[in-house]
Amino acid sequence: WLRRTGRMFHRMSPLRWRRRWRNCRRTGSTRPAHSPTRSRVPGSAIQADQSLHQEPAYAASKGAVRIFTKVTASQHAKDKIRCNSVHPGPVDTDMLRSGGPGTVERVANISHMKRTAHPDEMIGPALLLVSDAGSYITGQLVTADGGYAVAR
């Protein structure tokens, strides 16, 4: 178990974190100077709040996004750069479907809404966070999971 987990951490962490860091750097440098605020919305998953003993590296990487969001928000608020993150619950994607027969239905039944999200349903929370409507929101972890986290 420990050996497999170590391999997963090694495989997941460097690429994902380099990509997140590069995206955050790009956010600060590519927005127009006249823009009142700049915004960054990294993604995570509700697994950051739950014990996924079968996938500790995955859960830890999602938990790291939560802390990264808060630290980035606190360090860059003075530069008028906001950072929030969206934490989706089960979304009907190839990754979820790769869990085998019955995975989508089993996961959907845990949610209070008794369904998985369509990928397009994650656009709304992200748009709120990057739009003027969310101009006073920073350092927040927005969960869009159909009640999945509270149902567990």
Side-chain angles (χ1 to χ4, degrees):
W1 178 82
L2 284 175
R3 206 175 350 216
R4 189 185 107 192
T5 300
R7 284 193 305 267
M8 289 171 58
F9 270 115
H10 181 72
R11 189 177 68 231
M12 291 176 71
S13 299
L15 176 61
R16 288 177 189 246
W17 282 106
R18 278 194 301 266
R19 190 179 316 139
R20 290 202 191 289
W21 179 250
R22 187 173 53 244
N23 287 342
C24 283
R25 282 189 16 210
R26 197 176 304 141
T27 300
S29 62
T30 61
R31 295 294 302 250
H34 64 276
S35 178
T37 61
R38 302 168 198 175
S39 184
R40 172 78 185 120
V41 183
S44 182
I46 58 170
Q47 281 79 5
D49 283 337
Q50 300 172 6
S51 171
L52 283 181
H53 62 276
Q54 70 274 25
E55 297 295 343
Y58 183 76
S61 72
K62 299 309 176 184
V65 170
R66 299 172 80 82
I67 298 304
F68 186 71
T69 298
K70 291 177 176 287
V71 169
T72 301
S74 67
Q75 289 184 345
H76 295 289
K78 67 184 181 311
D79 302 319
K80 297 183 179 177
I81 297 173
R82 297 178 292 117
C83 185
N84 300 289
S85 56
V86 175
H87 300 262
V91 178
D92 192 358
T93 61
D94 292 340
M95 181 177 152
L96 182 61
R97 290 184 177 278
S98 72
T103 299
V104 174
E105 293 77 19
R106 186 178 70 255
V107 170
N109 283 326
I110 296 171
S111 164
H112 282 305
M113 297 183 83
K114 301 298 182 203
R115 66 179 183 86
T116 58
H118 184 274
D120 289 347
E121 291 179 287
M122 296 303 113
I123 295 170
L127 284 176
L128 167 66
L129 296 174
V130 300
S131 72
D132 289 342
S135 64
Y136 198 62
I137 301 172
T138 192
Q140 298 305 302
L141 315 169
V142 176
T143 301
D145 69 355
Y148 184 87
V150 296
R152 290 189 59 112

